[in-house]
Each structure stands twice: as C-alpha cells, then as structure tokens.
Amino acid sequence: MLRKGVPMTRTTLLSLAISLLVSGAALAQTVTIGLHQDPPNLDPILSQAFSDRSVTYQIYDRLVDLDENLTIVPMLATSWEVSDDGLAYTLQIREGVTFHDGNALDAEAVRYTLDRNLTREGSARRDELSSIAGIAVTGPFTVEITLHSPNAAFLAVLSGNAGAIVSPTAAEAAGADFGNSPVGSGPFVFHARERQNHVTLRANADYWNGAPSIQELVFRPFPDGDVRVANLLSGGADIIIPIEPKDIASTQAAAGYDVVAYDSLGWRAFVMNLTRPPFDDPAVRLAVAQAIDRAALAAVVYDDAVIPLIGPFPANTPGYDPDLEAPAYDPEAARATLEAAGKLGTEFTLLILPHEVLHGQFWQAVLTEVGFVVRIEQMEAGPYLEVVNNLRHDATLVGWSGRIDPDPQFFPFVHTTGNLNWGGFNDERIDGLLEAARAETDPAAREGLYRDVARLVVEENMIVWGIQNQNIIGVSERIEGIPLIPDGTVRWHGVTVR
Amino acid sequence: MDPSPIEQPEPARGRTLWARGVTRFFRNRLGLTGLVILLVFAALALLAPVIAPYGVAEVNFSRLRAPPSADHWLGTDELGRDTFTRVVYGARISLTVGLGSVFIALFAGSLLGMLAGFLGGWFDEVVMRVMDAMLSLPFLVLAIALAAILGPNLQNTILAIAIVSTPPFARLTRGQVLSEKERDYVQASAALGARWTRTLLRHILPNILSVIIVQASLATAIAVLAESALSFLGLGVQPPTPSWGSMLNTSRGYLATQPWMAFSPGIAIFLVVLALNLVGDGLRDAFDPRMRPR
C-alpha cells in the first residue's frame, strides 16, 4: 500500500510493473482442464474414449449439437429434412465456414468426412453409421444421405464424433497420423500436444459463431482423483472433469471453488456372464438383484452424488419407464432364494477395473451377506477387455457414459451382435425387439419397444443396474457459463473467465 | 550389509559363544524393546480372531469413515469396517509375508552363497553374476515387476519378495565362506579326511550363522515394507483381505478430512519395521562385538 506523502520508490514501481504484467497474463485467459486420462486419440474416426471428446468437440464442429435439454440443434447443418419413409436426410450446410487450415467447409467436405468414417481402416464410427447406404452432394452446401433402413437414432449419432467434420486437405496430408495434427472448423485450433502432459488449443479468431472469449485451453491428464483435486485447489487446474464424490464437500468448502453436478446419460451396472455357471441360473441372478441396496450403494461408494437406477434408461433419456420394477432390496429373501435353489455358498469372481475397487468391495460385501462367496480380481483396461470380450469372466462391473438415443444406449450390451455384449446375450426375444425398434419410424411405438426390452432384461435380472452416473466437475469460480449438457462434454465456446 | 570378511574368534567354543551372544542381546535395551514390540504384533496376528471385536470383512454402511470411539477404537474405514480389526488381521499378512519371504531367501541365498564360496570355479562365477545382475536393479522395482508378472495374491507376493531378497544373502554368505575357508580349523577338518559337505555344514556354517541371522532380521524389515508397497499399489493381497499397505492406499484420499484412517496402518508399519531394525542391530551387537559402537 502506498503511504501518503511518500514518493513512489523504485521497488514500488517495479512491483506495479510486475502486477500489470501478471494481470496482462490473466487477460490472455488460459483455462487449464484436468482430465482423468490423457486423451488417447484426437482423430474423430479413431476416438473411443470419453476423454477424447473433451478435446475433439472444441476442435471440430459437428453437423448437429445437443442442448441442455438433449434437443438436437443446428451446428454445421443449419437445417435438415427427413423423407416420409425415413430413408433420406437432406442437410443444408452452413455457408462461410472455413477450416483452421484456411480451406472452405462445404458439402464436399461433409461427404468426404462421412465417407472417411465409413471406409477408413480401423474406424470406430463405422458401426454408428452402418445404416448409411449412400451420400450425395446435391449442391455446394447441400448433402443428401440415404439409409438402408429407417434409423431414428441417425441425427443423434451425428451430434457425436461421427458428425465431426474434418478438413479433407489436412486429413489426406496427415493420413493415419491425423490425430496428432487435427484440423477442424471448431472454436479452438489445435496448437501443441505432449503425450501424458498436455494438449493445448488456441482460440479460433475467425470462428463463424464469433471468437471465443477464452484464448487458450490446456488439457492435462491427472489419472489419480486425489492428484486431480489437489491440482484444482492449488491452481494447477481451473476445472477438473470429473471430481470424485468424496472430494465434493471439501472442494465446496474451499474459497473460490465450486462443484457442479448434473444428470448424466450413463450408469453403472453388475453385468453377469449368462453363458456359464453360476449366472446362467435365473435363481442366482434373482438373489443378486434382491441383495443390492441401491440407496446404500449411492451413499457408500458415491457419497450420495448419484441416483439409484434399476434399468438401462435414466429418467432424462428416451426409453425411460416410470413403471419399470426391479426386485426390492431384501437380503433375507435373497438368501432364501439361494437356499431354495441349493446355491448357498455359490462362488464366483468379480472382475473389476482398478478404479472400481471400492465399488467392487461394496458388491462383495452385500453379496457375501446373502450367501455368495465373492473373489475380486482387478485388471487393467487392456487385459480386462480381452477377458470380457471373450466371456471368460463370471461377472463384472460396467460403467457406461451413456448415449441420448435408446438404440446406442442399449443395443451394444444386449443384442447378440452388440460390441459390448459382455453378458453373452443370445436371446431371440431381445434381438427381435431391438431390430424392430431400429426399423420403427413412429417415435412413440419405438420407445415402447425399448421399454419392452428393458422390462424383459430387468424381469429376468440379466443385468442388475445400480446407479445413474452424474457429471460432477470441480471448477474455479472464475469460470462462468459452462453449459450443462448431459453427455458430459463441456462446450468451451461460450464460456468466460472472470 | 558389509560383505567384508569378519574374523570369528575361537571357533571351537561355539556353544558358549552363542550363550554369551544371547546374554548380551538381552542386556541390550533397544534390542529387547524391539523384540517386545515384535512379540506383541506376533500375538495380535496369532490371536486375531479372538482379539478382533468385529469380523474382518464386516461392513457397516451407517458408520462410514467414523473417527475413533469406544465402539471402534481406531475408527472405521470407507465401508464401515472396524479399523482395529483390520490392523490386527493386517499383522498376519505383514508378518507372514515378511517372515515367509525372508525364510525362503535365507535358505536359497545362503545355500547358493555357501556353495559358490566353497566350490568356486564356474559355479561361483555363474551364481554370483546372476546375483550381481539382480542387485543392479532397484529392489522395489524388481519386486513390483515380479508381482505384476506372477499376479496379485499372497503366495506370489511372498515369492516376489523372496526372489529379490535372495542376492544379499548369497553375497554375504559367499564372502563369509571365502574367509572361513582359509582358516586352520577348516584346513584341519579337510586334512582329517572329512567330506566337503561335512566341513561346510558342521564347521563353517555354525561360524557364519550369526551373520546370516543378523542379515535375516534386517531383511525382514525390508520385506515388510516391500509388502506394504506392493499392497499399496494393488499388487499384494486382494480385497477384502486387509493389508496395511492397501489400507494406506484407500485412506490416502481422505487425508485432509479423515486423517485417522491413515494413522493406524501407518503407525503399525512404522512400529514393526522399527522393531525389526532394533532387533537386527541388537543381534549384530550381541554376536559381533567388533561392530559394537564403543
């Protein structure tokens, strides 16, 4: 503080200069985002991880986007028309959009991208877009997509990485290495990345929807939840996605920080291998369903930051069925069920990923209580996928980030051909209903079919759901205006920093 | 351990030497303190089912992460399990792994070292170069690698720690045998026509045993720490079996809000490792007067 009558000393001037410099840096507005993992791949066709989308959604515009109510809203497609038979989609592409490399985005770029999604070796988008029969450029900014069969989920798919439009010039030049030098038309431009350290994006001053107010986004991986929250509270990150439930209270208590929790589309469930003992026996599965106290699960494992869930469709998603019923929590009944089936003392191994240890021990405790003998086996993601994809497990805990459409939300887990069919489902009734739902164009009838599948799976306790995930982020109060879109990916374009 | 040759006084008076060593150990207050702490933990481990007030995996969802109280002397953990119970049962794991792995390492390492030192030649070269190669890798890194390869469970934890604990025993024993081998009593035994196995086991072994025992007590301290480290990393015993290392790992996230969760396993590890070191130092002083600080 300057005292009256004392002339400004050199030190004071110097400190003033420094503080001006510092505030100058603050004006540059860099936001550091702590993620739970280093985003594995920034190429939209190769991306499979949730963490990728935190970055790709800033670099690439998608054809359509979601709003906070999960309504599909225009993005690069300003409007769309669907033919009466549900087989033809005509998209009007936004004019005057340029890619970060200076090339114009037009209908041809959209055609190129969708074609790349469908044909490129190793594309993770091929399944999502498998209903496409043909893509035609019918005008400089008009694209017509035809489908093999009606697919009510089609537009929703285009709101994700499958609808992320890449610069054809850059994608051709980079080839398989495109993930390391991604070029899109989004509000932020890829600047630099160092594996396991950071991905840095800079504001796109020429963005069609106005330049973002944040100048720089730095994504940093902090796999350990404790390290993540420590970085938030010490200024190493301005926001962490996600924050662990146990750190919510202490972060809210810290001055200058807040925790934002909002409904996710995802869930966690106890998935049993139906192809072999002990869970090929409906009585054993019923005992599991009767043994689970979902309120306790939410409280013990997630500090009550999540909501109990009994089926595949949370209340904020289509397919939700308020009348769906699962067996009530009743440990005595569960024990009686096992006993009646002569299955008291049934042994099995619960396969879990390392970050699910507490969750796994919860299931172990409640199932031991009713007469199971549960061994826990932890496995890293690589070998874990190897085991569950080949159905060499008894049971496992599955976490799902969720999709807005009931088809991608559920089909992969319970259809015989589903790519996440870790229960070994092979049930004609389920397959038939799911296939009928894919072809059904009437939204209400379609939703009814998904409810029927969900009821079937829950009635026979083929999967036992536990809780609906929440998107929980820890954030500095400097950051304002984060749109709370249930898919859990922050769109940084409209966010401001105080 | 200092592998340099240590001269043994008057080898013929083995029994009195042992008796005198034991007497000296019991006069050493620090060593005795260590022994008492160890015996307490050993008693806890042996009598765990009797002492523990709760079941080891008995959860109580209405008392999560509770502070120490009359009902739960050391509080409860993240599933409402009694921390005192789990510390007591954890002693079983720590001591089993510590003693078990060192027993294997002692047996294997001493045997290899004795044979290498006594036989010499190519056998010595091969064995000792393998031991040197193992010693060139950091102890814990090698243990982690082995545990990860073998898979996480109790037997494999013991095996992994036993393997990495073996080289120091081999080197130490070999050095001892090399220096003893040239002494008159060994020469005499050979000159009288004793078979080499007899010379090695009846004459040399008793004279180097005290050094091996000192090394064993110190190696046990390291093994207990190694078990905690492996369990901390999820490579030791699997839940719900309690291990002090895994208890530390889960309580790490609550250090700011429920610090007592980390105190109990942390103090238990500290006490056992300290006690083993005190006993080791006491044994060294008792059986090797030359090393005793004056």
Side-chain angles (χ1 to χ4, degrees), chain B residues 5-28:
Chain B
I6 298 164
E7 286 182 43
Q8 292 291 320
E10 302 165 63
R13 294 163 56 195
R15 183 163 290 177
T16 43
L17 190 72
W18 280 103
R20 272 195 278 160
V22 171
T23 317
R24 265 202 299 271
F25 178 80
F26 279 104
R27 282 204 214 106
N28 181 334

Side-chain angles (χ1 to χ4, degrees), chain A residues 201-396:
Chain A
L201 312 182
R202 295 268 168 86
N204 176 4
D206 303 322
Y207 190 55
W208 57 267
N209 200 13
S213 99
I214 293 169
Q215 291 303 299
E216 189 175 68
L217 291 176
V218 180
F219 297 87
R220 301 201 57 200
F222 303 112
D224 186 289
D226 300 328
V227 175
R228 212 155 55 237
V229 76
N231 269 280
L232 176 70
L233 298 179
S234 65
D238 301 298
I239 175 170
I240 56 172
I241 308 170
I243 187 170
E244 291 196 0
K246 70 178 177 59
D247 296 322
I248 292 176
S250 55
T251 304
Q252 276 172 332
Y257 296 94
D258 204 358
V259 174
V260 182
Y262 55 107
D263 283 351
S264 140
L265 306 167
W267 40 251
R268 279 188 158 72
F270 185 88
V271 173
M272 296 160 278
N273 186 347
L274 309 173
T275 65
R276 68 180 198 189
F279 296 115
D280 56 348
D281 182 343
V284 177
R285 298 201 300 269
L286 173 63
V288 170
Q290 290 170 324
I292 177 67
D293 179 355
R294 292 179 174 84
L297 170 63
V300 172
V301 184
Y302 302 100
D303 270 36
D304 274 328
V306 298
I307 308 163
L309 180 77
I310 57 171
F313 305 115
N316 58 338
T317 65
Y320 170 68
D321 183 354
D323 301 325
L324 187 67
E325 275 180 30
Y329 166 58
D330 188 343
E332 276 108 55
R335 181 172 276 274
T337 307
L338 274 187
E339 203 160 10
K343 293 290 169 78
L344 261 185
T346 292
E347 289 181 35
F348 74 94
T349 301
L350 179 60
L351 183 70
I352 56 169
L353 290 163
H355 68 268
E356 297 274 20
V357 172
L358 181 57
H359 190 198
Q361 287 193 80
F362 179 88
W363 279 94
Q364 186 180 41
V366 295
L367 293 177
T368 305
E369 179 80 24
V370 303
F372 284 96
V373 178
V374 189
R375 207 173 78 84
I376 288 184
E377 189 174 358
Q378 300 178 51
M379 236 180 238
E380 296 291 338
Y384 171 90
L385 287 174
E386 179 72 24
V387 170
V388 292
N389 282 331
N390 292 298
L391 296 172
R392 291 202 307 264
H393 59 296
D394 294 332
T396 183

Side-chain angles (χ1 to χ4, degrees), chain B residues 52-209:
Chain B
Y54 296 88
V56 65
E58 184 183 330
V59 297
N60 182 348
F61 297 150
S62 58
R63 303 197 74 155
L64 303 176
R65 308 194 297 270
S69 64
D71 289 342
H72 298 279
W73 302 336
L74 299 178
T76 62
D77 73 0
E78 74 282 0
L79 283 169
R81 297 174 296 203
D82 182 55
T83 302
F84 176 72
T85 302
R86 293 180 68 77
V87 167
V88 166
Y89 274 92
R92 290 187 154 191
I93 301 297
S94 282
L95 294 181
T96 307
V97 173
L99 296 175
S101 60
V102 168
F103 182 80
I104 298 173
L106 185 152
F107 186 79
S110 305
L111 189 68
L112 286 172
M114 284 202 304
L115 291 176
F118 196 79
L119 300 176
W122 66 266
F123 184 81
D124 183 27
E125 280 296 321
V126 170
V127 169
M128 295 322 289
R129 290 305 78 76
V130 171
M131 294 298 142
D132 285 347
M134 286 170 70
L135 281 171
S136 69
L137 288 168
F139 178 86
L140 208 50
V141 173
L142 192 56
I144 290 169
L146 283 170
I149 294 166
L150 294 170
N153 63 43
L154 183 63
Q155 290 89 325
N156 290 343
T157 307
I158 293 175
L159 194 59
I161 298 175
I163 291 172
V164 294
S165 304
T166 299
F169 281 102
R171 271 184 72 152
L172 178 77
T173 320
R174 173 179 174 272
Q176 292 289 316
V177 169
L178 277 182
S179 79
E180 291 297 311
K181 198 163 79 167
E182 303 307 322
R183 288 176 163 263
D184 291 345
Y185 75 94
V186 178
Q187 304 285 341
S189 152
L192 287 170
R195 266 174 307 155
W196 68 273
T197 44
R198 183 182 165 86
T199 307
L200 196 57
L201 295 177
R202 291 295 298 269
H203 298 286
I204 296 183
L205 181 60
N207 280 291
I208 64 172
L209 200 55

Side-chain angles (χ1 to χ4, degrees), chain A residues 153-191:
Chain A
F154 188 64
L155 274 178
V157 165
L158 296 182
S159 73
N161 270 333
I165 304 304
V166 303
S167 160
T169 323
E172 280 304 304
D177 200 38
F178 186 61
N180 292 322
S181 48
V183 179
S185 63
F188 291 88
V189 184
F190 177 79
H191 177 66

